[in-house]
Amino acid sequence: MQLSRETLLPKLAAHVLEHGLGGASLRPLAKAAGTSDRMLIYHFGNKETLITELLGYIAELYSGALDAALGSDRAATRQECLARILAEGSKPEMQAFLVLWWDIVAGATRGVPGYHDAAQAMMTRQLVWLEGQMPADDPDPAGGARYLMTMIEGALMLSAVGHGDTAQQGLLASGLAAS
Amino acid sequence: MQLSRETLLPKLAAHVLEHGLGGASLRPLAKAAGTSDRMLIYHFGNKETLITELLGYIAELYSGALDAALGSDRAATRQECLARILAEGSKPEMQAFLVLWWDIVAGATRGVPGYHDAAQAMMTRQLVWLEGQMPADDPDPAGGARYLMTMIEGALMLSAVGHGDTAQQGLLASGLAAS
DNA sequence: AAGGCTATGTAGCGCCCGCTACAAGAGGAA
DNA sequence: TTCCTCTTGTAGCGGGCGCTACATAGCCTT
């Protein structure tokens, strides 16, 4: 069967979603895609562009997952809106993205090519999704969505390093969550 | 001159603060410390415990930097408190910690030994520092500090991936920052 | 002085890395 | 048929990795 970027990317994405980006080297990636490192280089040119295209593909996967989760009804309050997105993020199919996410943020900070753009695209998409969920009668939907966004990402990071309780108490004190 | 963990750690820390944890392999680390990979293994046993001890040392460095920044006077308002810690984080001597931070978070999420504990310790320390900065008349200093903490970390992450403006607008909408 | 323990240098092991050289099969174009 | 291009397999290169074997120089004890 003919190989191509398009047929390879889904299998490569599945592999990094399971095993992370850090240790993603050509031979394991190739094995996961049912081919050889030789062919990965042939189809992508080199590893750097492979990773760049892979991150772009994963960003699209993430968009698709958010689209699939997009209920057509808005939330009634900011509290409900926050509760919804937190529930969305705790779904198992989103967990893989979460684990990968910090690899991407670290890469973006260090300036590794492709990481920053993919991360920005994923956050932009999440912001759009969040704005669509904001209550219809919210006095400031744009600002409110960005406010929720900042709290959510903060809570996410604190949870990642064992300060989930800190984040929870922060949400409570903000009035965005109820005990 | 006699080498030891204690004399080596500062030089190793300086190296990873400059070059990151990702590509920190024994030979470059040894060169930065003026010795050989052979001696790093001799003094630390293996790379894993070296990294664990190094992260612990860096967490102490971070604590020390916060202590040095700790003015004895509290802020007058939450807004001022937030402005202070944001100013603190933008100091050049803190930038190196910030770049390293996402490596640590990614490692903590992936379960690499030592990363989680170091990250948690650094966040705990920052929370303590923040509580000490809260206004004396604040109705809920503990909750407020955790609230600020969540917003700060969220803003930090968004800024890391090119969404600094999103975070800024989020801070404005929260009422914690003034335009 | 003799022996042992600690600290260090030199060399190299086996392994994985990204990548490449080279040959060959497949299929279309002349 | 005869080429020629696209795709793939096999093998391997140079280099970095964590780590180890071995020798040795210096010091401390007896």
Side-chain angles (χ1 to χ4, degrees):
Chain A
M1 167 196 155
Q2 292 281 100
L3 295 175
S4 69
R5 285 169 161 84
E6 287 67 33
T7 61
L8 287 169
L9 282 175
K11 299 176 186 172
L12 297 177
H15 183 263
V16 302
L17 279 170
E18 186 175 358
H19 297 98
L21 271 168
S25 48
L26 289 181
R27 285 168 179 80
L29 281 173
K31 193 169 186 178
T35 178
S36 66
D37 58 330
R38 167 69 182 77
M39 294 315 297
L40 292 185
I41 296 291
Y42 177 74
H43 284 290
F44 291 95
N46 54 51
K47 190 187 177 184
E48 180 180 315
T49 67
L50 186 157
I51 295 292
T52 301
E53 296 202 20
L54 184 51
L55 287 178
Y57 178 78
I58 289 174
E60 285 178 20
L61 274 189
Y62 181 75
S63 286
L66 282 187
D67 282 345
L70 187 65
S72 56
D73 56 328
R74 291 165 171 274
T77 63
R78 287 187 178 183
Q79 286 85 345
E80 190 197 339
C81 190
L82 181 87
R84 276 196 196 175
I85 197 166
L86 288 181
E88 202 57 45
S90 66
K91 283 186 183 174
E93 63 264 32
M94 280 293 176
Q95 287 305 113
F97 284 108
L98 273 183
V99 178
L100 197 56
W101 175 247
W102 303 111
D103 274 336
I104 297 177
V105 174
T109 308
R110 220 180 308 114
V112 188
Y115 282 61
H116 183 278
D117 289 353
Q120 195 172 29
M122 291 169 82
M123 281 299 96
T124 299
R125 187 63 182 216
Q126 186 175 315
L127 181 58
V128 169
W129 182 82
L130 188 51
E131 283 192 273
Q133 295 274 313
M134 288 291 287
D137 61 348
D138 195 281
D140 177 18
R146 284 157 178 78
Y147 173 32
L148 287 183
M149 188 85 166
T150 309
M151 284 297 282
I152 288 161
E153 305 308 331
L156 215 61
M157 191 256 259
L158 288 172
S159 298
V161 299
H163 270 276
D165 53 340
T166 300
Q168 181 59 31
Q169 291 162 15
L171 290 175
L172 286 176
S174 74
L176 288 173
S179 51
Chain B
M1 167 196 155
Q2 291 281 101
L3 295 175
S4 69
R5 284 171 163 82
E6 287 67 33
T7 61
L8 287 170
L9 282 176
K11 298 175 186 174
L12 297 177
H15 183 262
V16 301
L17 279 169
E18 185 175 0
H19 296 98
L21 271 167
S25 50
L26 289 180
R27 285 169 178 83
L29 281 173
K31 193 168 187 178
T35 177
S36 66
D37 57 329
R38 167 71 182 77
M39 293 315 296
L40 292 184
I41 296 292
Y42 177 75
H43 283 290
F44 291 95
N46 55 49
K47 189 187 177 184
E48 180 179 316
T49 66
L50 185 157
I51 295 293
T52 301
E53 297 201 20
L54 183 50
L55 287 178
Y57 178 77
I58 288 174
E60 286 177 20
L61 274 189
Y62 182 74
S63 286
L66 283 187
D67 282 345
L70 186 67
S72 55
D73 55 330
R74 289 164 172 274
T77 63
R78 287 187 178 183
Q79 286 86 344
E80 188 197 339
C81 190
L82 180 87
R84 276 196 196 174
I85 196 167
L86 288 181
E88 201 57 46
S90 64
K91 282 187 184 174
E93 63 263 31
M94 280 294 176
Q95 288 305 114
F97 284 109
L98 273 184
V99 178
L100 197 56
W101 176 245
W102 302 110
D103 273 337
I104 298 177
V105 174
T109 307
R110 220 181 307 113
V112 188
Y115 282 62
H116 184 277
D117 289 353
Q120 195 171 28
M122 290 169 83
M123 280 299 94
T124 299
R125 188 62 182 217
Q126 185 175 316
L127 181 58
V128 169
W129 182 81
L130 187 52
E131 282 192 274
Q133 294 274 313
M134 289 290 286
D137 61 349
D138 194 280
D140 178 17
R146 283 156 179 79
Y147 173 30
L148 287 183
M149 188 85 168
T150 309
M151 284 296 283
I152 288 160
E153 306 307 331
L156 215 60
M157 193 256 258
L158 288 172
S159 298
V161 299
H163 269 277
D165 54 340
T166 301
Q168 182 58 33
Q169 291 162 14
L171 289 175
L172 286 177
S174 74
L176 288 174
S179 52

